[in-house]
Amino acid sequence: MKTVLNDIVSTMFNRKFMEELFKPQELYSKKALRTVYDRLAHASIIRLNQASMDKLYDLMTVAFKYQVLMCPRPKDVLLVTFNHLDAIKGLIRDSPAILNQVDETFQQLTEVYGGLSAGEFQLIRQTLLIFFQDLHIRVSIFLKDRVQNSNGRFVLPVSGPVPWGTEVPGLIRMFNSKGEEVKTVEFKHGGNYVAAPKEGSFELYGDRVLKLGTNMYSVNRPVETHMSGASKNLASQTQESIAPNPLAKEELNFLARLLGGMETKKPSDPEAGFRLNLFATEEEEEQAALTRPEELSYEVINIQATQDQQRSEELARIMGEFEITDAPRQSASKGDDLLAMMDEL
């Protein structure tokens, strides 16, 4: 399991892959996101079939939507991301080289997003919520904790700490034309709010205070996803185009190159990997694959951009940035470092 985690994390935080993600660009489509997710999940010796992959993807995306939606203030999206990185570092604490990759990504996040205004963070948050607005997948732990309704929509709390830098509601202040406070009126807000104890730390090591972004699935109970009827109907009405922009496809394939090649090869040796089933039985897994709505099934895009003689100069420039020098070939084993494998491409 340690090898699997190291392989996935080292691929996810590969320097060239991170450089591509940090470039100013349009938001990826849902199909592009799913393709990158598939590549990451299969970056190691682990193998999942379509049904298990769909279930894993549903769990991760709905959890992330919940975290973004529940952020007390827009800037806390960055604290959620830092909680993700802190948890990842806990998984690979015995691998200094990979830890350094994660710390470098932390520094990039701080440099790019640390100085943004509240309005810019609000734009980021709204963009993410728009991306996930049609996602209404029910998750059992959310249903049991009553943070999600039976229709798959989340419940906004009316209690708890207010955002840092704000006051507990209940008081209206009135000012005159000179900016002087002339009157105050109290009102009942109907909630149970308290002041935030302190602001979360944005340093490399520190108390984030915010719990969003920590492991939601650590509790010892089963987790299942179910597609609500409203989600099925809405998805069928707003089915995404199956012919995305060709340039977007080609750029996506560059990401695939960074993640270990254009094709996902099956190991010839049955002992070279293991298969993960997220369902209780094989029959349940097969049934889930058959009943999943077609519009929610994604196929990996496989475009050989190097064969396109009409590609633009901008695309050629991007390809040049992704060239990787040859490295001495190492012996293949299921413990090989993913970075060494990518250096051989």
Side-chain angles (χ1 to χ4, degrees):
M1 183 57 68
K2 182 180 295 187
T3 299
V4 171
L5 291 174
N6 287 348
D7 286 349
I8 293 177
V9 174
S10 64
T11 302
M12 186 186 303
F13 293 94
N14 174 267
R15 179 172 296 178
K16 284 190 174 292
F17 181 46
M18 286 292 105
E19 288 176 356
E20 175 64 20
L21 290 182
F22 273 94
K23 289 180 180 178
Q25 56 192 298
E26 294 294 327
L27 193 67
Y28 285 125
S29 68
K30 291 182 175 64
K31 290 183 181 293
L33 174 64
R34 174 58 189 264
T35 302
V36 173
Y37 193 89
D38 287 347
R39 294 287 184 178
L40 288 173
H42 292 105
S44 69
I45 58 177
I46 194 172
R47 291 295 176 265
L48 297 88
N49 75 0
Q50 188 65 38
S52 290
M53 192 68 206
D54 290 339
K55 185 172 184 178
L56 181 62
Y57 181 78
D58 288 344
L59 290 173
M60 296 301 103
T61 50
V62 74
F64 180 70
K65 177 184 177 180
Y66 170 78
Q67 293 164 4
V68 175
L69 183 63
M70 296 299 173
C71 279
R73 57 176 183 167
K75 189 177 181 180
D76 289 334
V77 172
L78 194 55
L79 285 179
V80 170
T81 304
F82 289 167
N83 273 337
H84 291 164
L85 297 183
D86 291 343
I88 290 173
K89 288 194 290 186
L91 298 175
I92 43 96
R93 63 173 67 91
D94 298 328
S95 304
I98 306 177
L99 274 173
N100 184 60
Q101 289 179 260
V102 180
D103 287 343
E104 287 181 357
T105 301
F106 184 99
Q107 296 298 337
Q108 284 182 288
L109 286 167
T110 302
E111 293 172 4
V112 175
Y113 298 102
L116 297 185
S117 65
E120 290 172 314
F121 274 112
Q122 175 65 2
L123 180 60
I124 292 174
R125 181 174 179 270
Q126 288 298 324
T127 301
L128 292 172
L129 291 177
I130 291 173
F131 183 84
F132 291 111
Q133 66 179 349
D134 296 331
L135 186 69
H136 304 300
I137 298 169
R138 295 178 295 174
V139 178
S140 63
I141 62 170
F142 289 150
L143 295 171
K144 291 177 181 178
D145 290 342
R146 297 184 179 180
V147 299
Q148 190 179 33
N149 290 324
S150 58
N151 60 4
R153 299 182 183 275
F154 291 111
V155 179
L156 295 177
V158 291
S159 61
V162 297
W164 173 257
T166 63
E167 299 179 6
V168 175
L171 185 66
I172 300 175
R173 295 186 175 90
M174 301 181 187
F175 301 84
N176 60 19
S177 59
K178 297 180 181 179
E180 300 171 341
E181 183 177 321
V182 296
K183 184 179 180 181
T184 59
V185 178
E186 295 185 358
F187 66 94
K188 294 183 179 180
H189 50 69
N192 185 23
Y193 298 105
V194 295
K198 61 179 180 179
E199 184 178 23
S201 173
F202 290 87
E203 301 299 323
L204 181 59
Y205 297 100
D207 182 8
R208 312 298 178 199
V209 179
L210 190 70
K211 298 304 179 184
L212 293 170
T214 56
N215 189 358
M216 294 183 174
Y217 304 111
S218 60
V219 290
N220 185 23
R221 55 188 175 189
V223 180
E224 296 180 0
T225 57
H226 303 277
M227 190 65 59
S228 65
S231 175
K232 293 180 181 179
N233 294 336
L234 184 58
S236 63
Q237 296 172 8
T238 60
Q239 184 175 2
E240 190 177 0
S241 172
I242 60 175
N245 186 290
L247 181 58
K249 287 184 179 181
E250 293 166 342
E251 290 177 343
L252 180 60
N253 280 324
F254 294 142
L255 291 180
R257 289 179 184 276
L258 293 180
L259 293 172
M262 298 297 295
E263 299 291 344
T264 302
K265 297 181 179 180
K266 296 182 179 180
S268 56
D269 183 359
E271 299 298 327
F274 66 90
R275 178 175 170 274
L276 177 63
N277 184 357
L278 297 183
F279 295 83
T281 63
E282 296 286 343
E283 292 74 14
E284 183 181 343
E285 186 178 43
E286 294 174 359
Q287 182 64 24
L290 294 175
T291 57
R292 185 175 178 83
E294 183 178 354
E295 62 271 10
L296 293 179
S297 297
Y298 301 91
E299 294 182 357
V300 176
I301 300 173
N302 183 17
I303 303 293
Q304 287 289 354
T306 55
Q307 297 177 359
D308 182 6
Q309 300 299 325
Q310 304 299 323
R311 62 182 179 271
S312 65
E313 294 181 1
E314 176 66 12
L315 185 56
R317 183 187 65 78
I318 295 175
M319 290 179 63
E321 294 179 359
F322 279 77
E323 290 180 358
I324 303 175
T325 56
D326 292 335
R329 187 173 184 84
Q330 302 177 6
S331 59
S333 69
K334 62 181 180 181
D336 279 343
D337 191 327
L338 256 293
L339 295 179
M341 293 173 62
M342 286 188 290
D343 286 341
E344 296 175 6
L345 295 179

